[in-house]
Amino acid sequence: MSSTEAPATHLAENPFAIAQRQLAHVGETFGIDPNLVGVLAECKKCVEVSVPVVMDDQSVEVFEAYRVTHNMTRGPAKGGIRYHPAVTRDEVKALAMWMTWKCALMGLPFGGAKGGVVCNPKELSPGELERLTRRYTTEIINEIGPEKDIPAPDVGTDSQVMAWIFDTYSMNVGHSVLGVVTGKPLSVGGSLGRDEATARGALYSIRTALQKQGARLPDNRIAIQGFGNVGRNLARLLSEEGARIVAVSDSRGGVANPYGIDVQAAIAYKQEHGVLEGLPGADAITNAELIELDCDVLAPCALEQVITAQNAARIRARMICEGANGPTTPGADEILEDRGVLVLPDVLANAGGVVVSYFEWVQGLQEYFWKEYEVNAKLNDITVRAFEETWQTRERFGTSMRVAAYGLAVQRVAEATTIRGLYP
Ligand code: NAD
């Protein structure tokens, strides 16, 4: 698990209001029944719980936590759990809605959900983290399940946290339930390829986009914000493909080198020192400078709202790959679209994680596990298909990639809702 320190105010705009505005815009562009848009603009269920935890010094701390289900029309809800000191209910609701669109765009039989615990996992001991996770799981145990709502890792959580969720749920029902959570360690039913799946999906999206422009990865300079599961793996995979990584960063700041950063050395340095700052052979830069750096592809892989109407005009990248969820505000989107910057939206660019989570769920239900090359090949098929569908929709409707991707997704959910009918 990597650093999650961030300013308490990383959300300048209400993310759920942004998600609702995006939906309204898509509804108008694609002529979707306003009644359906009204249904989809709200979350099906938002559970708020308090999580009391005995700390190592025997004091008791009570943490605020959420599990939100946005929609379950196309199947069980799916979405990560975030441990972060600045998580808010509306942030979790927005992330849950974006999960619905992501699963629909990728053609997965899932709806959308998300969870959050307001805590700083970096300040908790392993014992405190385990007790918090087990109590949180118990508090939401009636909400989750392999046919209901299946959590996964997100910012501040990792495969160890998923293992505790799996164990807590299984102990309560009296037998092992592999399908209750994804992103598990391999030793307890995880999938090969899941750890790097989000980054691998982003790699496939960038590669397909470059092919459309007649370009190749080795000719591209890439700046990556965030050096956790998504950012670190993306930097490694891209550099293995010959791309030049010109900047990387974590919550403390970044490092840059126009001639290229040795990514393996950066990973080792971060592991040893806990920060990227001070990496030999690279200059220090701030996260704000990284966003505006001279590069070909910019990949925000940390938190929301880092590309805004304030800095969008100064971005020099020709392409943005949203490894993070919601890194670009609607104001920034308009500026980038006008300037011809190609934005590969979150629901497409970081969907590799949920696609391989789907594979993990399927393998767990069947208790039959696939080889890594099978996982990666199937991920590539699904990502490239979704990319092509989005690209064609963008050309047909003359929209941005985001509006095209959300449009396809919302239409699929709307169609399923219409066919099922509104109960009762
Ligand atoms: P992580 O906790 O593993 O890593 C987060 C990284 O962001 C860390 O390097 C941290 O130092 C950095 N960071 C935190 N605050 C920052 C700030 N203010 N400025 C710059 N860097 C900052 O989390 P992750 O799993 O890599 O998730 C990152 C993003 O990707 C999130 O938006 C998440 O929702 C999204 N995502 C993750 C997955 C997944 O499978 N893990 C899947 C889809 C989308």
Side-chain angles (χ1 to χ4, degrees):
M1 190 180 316
S2 47
S3 158
T4 54
E5 289 161 29
T9 53
H10 75 275
L11 301 170
E13 294 181 51
N14 182 319
F16 190 54
I18 289 181
Q20 288 181 316
R21 248 162 53 217
Q22 288 168 334
L23 172 63
H25 179 52
V26 162
E28 280 164 26
T29 309
F30 291 86
I32 300 168
D33 178 355
N35 284 317
L36 281 174
V37 172
V39 173
L40 298 174
E42 299 299 335
C43 291
K44 177 182 166 66
K45 199 176 202 180
C46 173
V47 174
E48 181 174 347
V49 294
S50 65
V51 182
V53 178
V54 178
M55 308 302 279
D56 290 347
D57 65 4
Q58 299 309 308
S59 67
V60 174
E61 247 186 74
V62 184
F63 298 89
E64 197 179 317
Y66 307 96
R67 185 70 191 173
V68 174
T69 313
H70 171 254
N71 190 281
M72 296 176 73
T73 308
R74 301 179 76 255
K78 188 89 191 75
I81 292 175
R82 178 170 293 196
Y83 286 1
H84 192 278
V87 174
T88 67
R89 183 210 310 240
D90 278 356
E91 181 180 23
V92 179
K93 286 168 79 172
L95 290 163
M97 188 190 282
W98 289 327
M99 281 305 297
T100 302
W101 310 147
K102 194 182 297 183
C103 292
L105 178 68
M106 303 317 278
L108 309 179
F110 289 139
K114 206 80 181 189
V117 180
V118 185
C119 68
N120 188 344
K122 283 206 83 185
E123 289 173 358
L124 299 175
S125 71
E128 290 168 341
L129 200 58
E130 178 174 352
R131 292 193 289 281
L132 177 139
T133 301
R134 288 188 184 280
R135 182 65 188 249
Y136 171 59
T137 307
T138 309
E139 293 295 344
I140 61 165
I141 205 152
N142 292 326
E143 313 307 325
I144 60 173
E147 282 145 2
K148 227 177 185 180
D149 176 0
I150 307 136
D154 191 74
V155 174
T157 56
D158 59 10
S159 59
Q160 174 61 75
V161 172
M162 299 306 117
W164 288 325
I165 295 174
F166 160 66
D167 185 66
T168 305
Y169 187 88
S170 298
M171 292 305 286
N172 272 272
V173 298
H175 57 94
S176 289
V177 184
L178 290 180
V180 68
V181 67
T182 58
K184 300 182 293 298
L186 288 176
S187 54
V188 288
S191 174
L192 289 166
R194 172 60 184 91
D195 195 44
E196 61 176 42
T198 307
R200 192 167 276 285
L203 165 75
Y204 296 157
S205 290
I206 296 172
R207 189 160 62 193
T208 312
L210 288 174
Q211 279 165 2
K212 294 273 178 207
Q213 300 172 335
R216 297 160 55 248
L217 272 172
D219 305 325
N220 279 269
R221 299 162 303 151
I222 304 183
I224 300 176
Q225 182 187 55
F227 210 62
N229 175 287
V230 183
R232 183 187 63 244
N233 282 316
L234 183 58
R236 183 176 57 75
L237 292 172
L238 284 167
S239 70
E240 284 169 10
E241 295 285 324
R244 200 192 316 164
I245 307 302
V246 291
V248 289
S249 73
D250 60 24
S251 59
R252 299 279 204 74
V255 287
N257 181 342
Y259 300 104
I261 284 172
D262 179 343
V263 174
Q264 287 300 352
I267 291 171
Y269 187 89
K270 167 93 181 166
Q271 200 145 23
E272 189 183 340
H273 301 274
V275 289
L276 288 163
E277 212 175 11
L279 176 74
D283 298 324
I285 51 163
T286 64
N287 269 298
E289 287 166 343
L290 183 143
I291 297 289
E292 298 174 20
L293 201 71
D294 184 17
C295 63
D296 302 302
V297 180
L298 171 65
C301 300
L303 295 176
E304 301 95 323
Q305 300 181 21
V306 292
I307 302 174
T308 64
Q310 277 71 50
N311 62 10
R314 293 192 299 273
I315 284 176
R316 285 188 269 180
R318 290 179 289 107
M319 187 189 298
I320 293 174
C321 171
E322 295 187 334
N325 286 306
T328 312
T329 65
D333 259 338
E334 272 178 37
I335 296 169
L336 295 169
E337 185 68 6
D338 284 351
R339 293 186 50 220
V341 178
L342 181 67
V343 179
L344 307 181
D346 44 14
V347 293
L348 174 67
N350 70 37
V354 74
V355 170
V356 178
S357 273
Y358 166 58
F359 297 161
E360 181 178 331
W361 179 73
V362 169
Q363 292 170 79
L365 293 182
Q366 299 181 339
E367 310 223 8
Y368 176 72
F369 291 87
W370 310 346
K371 297 185 178 65
E372 190 164 357
Y373 74 81
E374 293 177 275
V375 169
N376 291 343
K378 286 180 167 63
L379 170 62
N380 185 59
D381 285 352
I382 290 181
T383 307
V384 173
R385 187 190 64 206
F387 189 104
E388 290 295 344
E389 288 171 347
T390 307
W391 189 267
Q392 282 163 21
T393 306
R394 166 186 181 255
E395 296 203 322
R396 201 167 137 222
F397 288 85
T399 66
S400 66
M401 283 292 270
R402 184 182 322 279
V403 173
Y406 285 29
L408 277 171
V410 175
Q411 287 181 95
R412 286 173 187 169
V413 180
E415 189 189 334
T417 309
T418 307
I419 287 173
R420 285 181 66 151
L422 193 61
Y423 184 84

